[in-house]
Amino acid sequence: MRGMRRPGLSLVLRVLMAAAALAALAACAPGFQRNPLADDVKISPNVSARRVSLVVIHHTSSSSHESALRTLRDPLREVSAHYLIARDGRLIQLVDEADRAWHAGRARWGAITDVNSASIGIELDNNGDEPFPAAQMAALYRLLDDLRARHRLTPLAYVGHADVAPGRKVDPSAHFPWREMALRGFGLWCDPPLAAAPAGFDVALGLQALGYELASPDAAAMAFALHYGAPQAGLAALDPALVACLVAQARAVTEP
Ligand SMILES: [Zn+2]
């Protein structure tokens, strides 16, 4: 009955209260997505962004970053990456880091089977058969320093597309300077002379311990060889001492 007597005031109050509630929500959690199934929203401040645990490096196979941009923004191509770095070092962001970009495709690294959900994808504009210019690498290192600080990444977080999709992808090419990356803390590296592998060391299991998927051990070995500058001739051609050295380095990161 009161509502019928003063419908105007009631409506104004309801609108004001709804606006205040919305403002409070927005103040607490910008971009908060309410699930319509939820009966109530009681926002907790005890959250942080979801963990990014991998950075996947690609080359675009393009002759220009404008051409790469067209592909990475074409709804019909259904591919994207968080960042594209042009040959001159210009850094272009295409996807919010909080969102899942579509760069890895069918891929796996260790226990991670949904690589796109766990990673940030970086495309380096490069036709696959040319060195990566110094300006482009400088921009990459600047970005990787920033990602490492914000996402608290260890040296194990940096992989190539070929590493997570052996037998299917070969980017970034052999021109990519993984050794210099590792010297900056982005990845692992072992220089000779190498200590002999422990007796009975299993090279395939070593690759698996590093993160490689073993569905095809030879494909995993080729991806490993591309990354670490070893002869690309299958599992039997890999130097057990190199694999063992990298496994020991990885253990030192995870079990310091
Ligand atoms: Zn790729």
Side-chain angles (χ1 to χ4, degrees):
M1 289 298 288
R2 278 169 61 196
M4 285 178 71
R5 276 205 317 271
R6 309 184 68 175
L9 179 59
S10 169
L11 183 63
V12 166
L13 274 175
R14 282 212 305 273
V15 169
L16 281 176
M17 284 169 67
L22 271 176
L25 256 183
C28 290
F32 186 94
Q33 297 275 336
R34 177 172 184 161
N35 183 337
L37 291 177
D39 296 309
D40 204 351
V41 173
K42 301 285 187 191
I43 289 178
S44 170
N46 306 328
V47 298
S48 56
R50 287 181 189 277
R51 284 303 302 274
V52 167
S53 52
L54 279 182
V55 173
V56 182
I57 310 282
H58 304 255
H59 72 230
T60 57
S61 301
S62 282
S63 54
S64 76
H65 76 272
E66 290 89 350
S67 156
L69 269 180
R70 275 194 295 279
T71 302
L72 293 168
R73 302 180 70 221
D74 181 349
L76 297 177
R77 300 293 292 270
E78 298 190 332
V79 292
S80 63
H82 293 91
Y83 297 100
L84 168 67
I85 306 181
R87 287 173 176 77
D88 65 2
R90 214 155 86 84
L91 174 64
I92 300 153
Q93 182 168 10
L94 295 97
V95 175
D96 187 326
E97 285 180 20
D99 288 334
R100 181 178 183 272
W102 301 344
H103 57 96
R106 185 164 43 79
R108 178 169 185 148
W109 189 246
I112 300 171
T113 53
D114 183 354
V115 170
N116 281 338
S117 286
S119 68
I120 285 175
I122 303 175
E123 290 276 1
L124 301 173
D125 196 35
N126 181 292
N127 66 16
D129 196 28
E130 59 184 329
F132 294 84
Q136 188 178 41
M137 289 307 301
L140 175 64
Y141 294 141
R142 203 159 49 240
L143 173 61
L144 293 181
D145 277 334
D146 165 60
L147 295 179
R148 170 167 56 193
R150 286 190 291 105
H151 297 290
R152 299 198 305 278
L153 299 171
T154 75
L156 305 181
Y158 308 87
V159 293
H161 198 182
D163 293 313
V164 297
R168 200 172 69 78
K169 293 290 173 181
V170 291
D171 65 308
S173 76
H175 289 286
F176 188 72
W178 283 113
R179 183 177 184 276
E180 189 183 345
M181 285 274 291
L183 293 178
R184 293 168 180 265
F186 309 125
L188 308 174
W189 196 262
C190 287
D191 274 324
L194 300 169
F201 180 77
D202 185 313
V203 172
L205 291 182
L207 294 182
Q208 191 174 46
L210 290 172
Y212 290 92
E213 199 222 344
L214 279 192
S216 162
D218 278 328
M222 298 285 266
F224 172 92
L226 173 67
H227 187 127
Y228 293 103
Q232 293 187 51
L235 189 69
L238 285 190
D239 178 4
L242 176 59
V243 180
C245 173
L246 290 162
V247 169
Q249 278 201 5
R251 290 224 172 96
V253 172
T254 52
E255 307 155 13

